[in-house]
Amino acid sequence: MSNIVVALVCAAVLVCVLNLVFTVGMARRLRALGALLSQPGPASDGHSSPGGFGPVMRESGERLGAFSTTTVDGRPVGEDFFAGGPALVAAFSVGCGACEERLPEFVRFAETFPGGRERVLALVVGTDGVAEKLARLEPVATVVVEGLHGGPLCASLGVKGYPAVGIVEPGGVVRASGTLMHNVTAALEKV
């Protein structure tokens, strides 16, 4: 009987030691992953993207591609949208948590953007749940809805992630872009 107890105690100690070894190994891996995620990634205006990820749309100095599409009002819109002066652009996706978080800040900024709604172009990607975003965006922006990622405006902006915001100069050249409003507001302050 005492041999069984000793064997059980030894087995319990062995399990505890193995558990400790695995816990230390996981802590090291998590620390390494945290360090990797905290490294700044490339961004168009010197600001790092959250989590160190790359750009979410075309970067500063890049030219938008040609496009032709229709707004939710039924008006045609193309690259001539950018002929009248700097324009604020954004791309939001239905079902995107970060888009929901940042949409109110975008709307507040768009309300005061020079030129008003005619200088603000917002893209909503998705089909279900579009009405809520439209209700918030239409008063402050020219809005385009594309059912799937990769539509004409999405491709022109070079959208790789959501939300994407940017300032586009006349001629379709991106001045600044990013996923946070400060990515574009900082570029406007430099002018």
Side-chain angles (χ1 to χ4, degrees), residues 96-160:
C96 163
C99 296
E100 290 301 320
E101 291 173 13
R102 297 186 190 132
L103 184 60
E105 184 181 10
F106 173 81
V107 168
R108 283 191 304 275
F109 186 71
E111 288 173 336
T112 62
F113 193 78
R117 171 174 205 272
E118 298 304 313
R119 302 298 325 136
V120 179
L121 182 59
L123 168 65
V124 178
V125 177
T127 54
D128 297 334
V130 170
E132 179 187 331
K133 281 189 175 45
L134 291 181
R136 294 163 74 182
L137 288 168
E138 281 187 295
V140 298
T142 301
V143 183
V144 172
V145 174
E146 293 179 350
L148 298 172
H149 177 82
L153 182 54
C154 189
S156 175
L157 295 172
V159 176
K160 300 174 190 125

Side-chain angles (χ1 to χ4, degrees), residues 26-39:
M26 286 299 290
R28 285 183 179 170
R29 284 189 172 202
L30 287 173
R31 192 175 310 125
L33 180 61
L36 178 65
L37 289 176
S38 68
Q39 293 175 356

